[in-house]
Amino acid sequence: MSTDQNTRAASGLPASEITIRPATDDDWDAIALLDAHAFGEHQNAQDLAETKLLTDSSEIVLACDGDLAVGVTMHFPMHVTVPGGTSLAATGVSWVSVAPTHRRRGILRKMFTQQHTHFEEAGTPLSVLTASEATIYERFGYGAATAGVAVALDRRFARFHPDAPSADGTRLVESATAQQLLPEIYRRWQAITPGAQPMPPVRWERFFADRENSRDGFSPLFFVVHADGYVAYRRGERVGTAGAQEARVVDFVAVTDEARSALWQVLCGIDLVDNIEVTLPPGDPLFTLLTDRRAPAIQGVKDGLWVRLMDVPVALEARTYAIDTDLVLQIDDPFLSAGGRFRLRVSGGRAEVTRTDAEPDVTTAISVLGSMYLGAHRARQFASAGRVVATSDTALHEFDLAFSTERQPEIGWFF
């Protein structure tokens, strides 16, 4: 790097011309440094090696000020289960950051433009990501498509309704046994859960490695397994208490209602633990399993998977719908060229989607369509905020109902 470039970078002076290029294997130290500054955690050697197995260096987009890397975004190939059970090809965007020395210069937009133009050319129908901030990605056509409710439950006061399925069929297992059982249970859960992605082998290896830096001061993982579900949790001391323990649920997977009920009854029977912390999808049956639905205290709601439709007809035809309908949709895409006017004809729960010049029944942004796509959010929510506009209440009603789902969507693994 030249002396002038060093001076500019150190002083915060306006950048020289920002260039966008693919990364090489020699750029990983710079990529890791950007990630550490962005997210406040240095990647250890094992975690970094695992990330390298998920993507090729050439699939990483770097923004450079001269020779200095000042921004990065990468992507992983994956599939996402959509309503109806289809596993749809998607591109998982990750490790997105811009150096704090180079903010407010349009670097993210430049990187995303090159990256997402590549996605369009590749023809993958969905792009997905997880967001550290909720205000960044709608401008690029992404909508929050799954949600999680953070819940704290004082298990000492949890009483199960007498009609709740029994706790039969559960057992405690060591990590070695869990490694043999959990991936197949997860696979069955993922196949029926909108928003869930297959777990790559390298991520299972990281999960069971259970490294110290993933524990946040809590214990190694404990496992409870049912034929149709499992829970992995840690134990530790509650913040601000004198020795009171809590169980922190890391992963809760239930293929059936019976498994969910059984696993919860086991969790609520853990001796010496007062509090259980867990993140659940909105409307989780835990609230109706208990005699006191106020016992689970909601601590907050956060988003999980964000979805952008890269190919609207392919994505809409891949999922199923709750009612039959025939609507013309105007989808506005201010970032790319996926928008336009589409006729959505649903018969027997399956859609045929074609471009049309007919007047629209419903107008909305592609980010809103992304939020609705997996069924977590309803059209009437957005209509009340002026973000879905329909020509009639009938059109809005059908648009709203059609995208609803029987099973609440959930993200499979964070990336």
Side-chain angles (χ1 to χ4, degrees):
M1 187 190 306
S2 69
T3 301
D4 179 63
Q5 288 169 335
N6 269 316
T7 301
R8 285 177 175 272
S11 65
L13 291 171
S16 56
E17 182 179 357
I18 301 297
T19 58
I20 307 297
R21 65 170 176 84
T24 70
D25 290 343
D26 294 332
D27 290 313
W28 274 104
D29 286 346
I31 293 167
L33 182 62
L34 285 168
D35 183 77
H37 277 281
F39 301 105
E41 179 184 359
H42 289 281
Q43 293 278 328
N44 63 37
Q46 297 100 322
D47 291 344
L48 193 59
E50 289 163 359
T51 299
K52 291 179 181 179
L53 294 176
L54 292 173
T55 190
D56 188 86
S57 299
S58 63
E59 299 296 327
I60 301 172
V61 176
L62 280 185
C64 296
D65 181 355
D67 295 331
L68 180 68
V70 296
V72 61
T73 179
M74 68 176 68
H75 50 275
F76 311 136
M78 61 177 57
H79 283 73
V80 175
T81 302
V82 302
T86 295
S87 184
L88 191 61
T91 305
V93 176
S94 189
W95 283 55
V96 182
S97 64
V98 174
T101 55
H102 285 69
R103 297 288 170 81
R104 306 294 181 263
R105 301 182 190 180
I107 292 174
L108 177 59
R109 180 168 288 273
K110 288 180 180 180
M111 292 192 300
F112 260 36
T113 297
Q114 179 160 313
Q115 183 185 47
H116 286 69
T117 299
H118 173 67
F119 295 169
E120 282 189 317
E121 293 169 352
T124 306
L126 292 182
S127 182
V128 296
L129 55 80
T130 59
S132 57
E133 297 180 59
T135 57
I136 297 174
Y137 295 105
E138 283 191 358
R139 77 190 81 160
F140 301 111
Y142 287 87
T146 72
V149 179
V151 171
L153 173 64
D154 191 326
R155 68 102 196 163
R156 297 170 299 174
F157 302 105
R159 301 291 182 269
F160 287 82
H161 197 279
D163 294 330
S166 73
D168 295 341
T170 58
R171 59 180 170 133
L172 312 181
V173 301
E174 296 284 355
S175 178
T177 303
Q179 291 182 53
Q180 298 173 11
L181 299 176
L182 269 56
E184 175 58 20
I185 298 171
Y186 177 93
R187 186 200 63 76
R188 290 192 286 125
W189 171 83
Q190 174 264 318
I192 63 173
T193 303
Q197 325 97 289
M199 184 95 82
V202 67
R203 292 306 297 241
W204 279 116
E205 291 171 12
R206 176 184 291 194
F207 179 71
F208 288 115
D210 195 13
R211 299 186 187 108
E212 188 73 34
N213 68 322
S214 66
R215 298 177 188 173
D216 195 26
F218 274 51
S219 72
L221 288 170
F222 293 94
F223 300 96
V224 183
V225 174
H226 183 281
D228 294 316
Y230 66 82
V231 60
Y233 67 94
R234 305 185 189 281
R235 291 175 64 159
E237 186 174 328
R238 292 185 65 185
V239 176
T241 65
Q245 282 203 8
E246 70 179 17
R248 185 173 295 172
V249 175
V250 175
D251 200 12
F252 193 115
V253 164
V255 180
T256 64
D257 293 335
E258 291 76 13
R260 182 184 294 104
S261 176
L263 291 168
W264 267 116
Q265 290 179 64
V266 172
L267 278 176
C268 290
I270 301 173
D271 289 332
L272 306 181
V273 164
D274 295 344
N275 194 61
I276 300 171
E277 287 191 356
V278 63
T279 298
L280 303 170
D284 187 88
L286 173 64
F287 294 87
T288 49
L289 281 170
L290 301 175
T291 56
D292 182 1
R293 64 175 299 111
R294 297 182 185 179
I298 295 176
Q299 308 295 299
V301 180
K302 56 186 177 181
D303 49 80
L305 192 72
W306 290 63
V307 169
R308 181 194 156 86
L309 280 68
M310 298 296 298
D311 188 321
V312 171
V314 171
L316 292 184
E317 289 181 353
R319 58 156 292 172
T320 57
Y321 297 84
I323 63 168
D324 292 350
T325 188
D326 189 345
L327 296 169
V328 175
L329 311 180
Q330 172 65 46
I331 306 300
D332 297 327
D333 183 0
F335 178 51
L336 297 174
S337 57
R341 199 165 289 179
F342 305 91
R343 185 176 182 184
L344 174 71
R345 289 182 288 187
V346 180
S347 177
R350 306 299 312 199
E352 179 185 358
V353 182
T354 55
R355 289 190 176 270
T356 181
D357 294 325
E359 290 300 307
D361 301 298
V362 175
T363 300
T364 193
I366 198 163
S367 60
V368 172
L369 191 63
S371 287
M372 293 179 54
Y373 182 67
L374 298 176
H377 302 288
R378 302 292 291 269
R380 285 195 179 274
Q381 292 175 290
F382 289 103
S384 66
R387 299 177 64 188
V388 168
V389 177
T391 55
S392 68
D393 192 63
T394 298
L396 177 60
H397 183 63
E398 291 187 9
F399 186 55
D400 180 66
L401 287 182
F403 281 80
S404 62
T405 56
E406 293 182 2
R407 193 176 182 98
Q408 190 72 8
E410 298 182 58
I411 187 172
W413 58 280
F414 282 83
F415 53 93

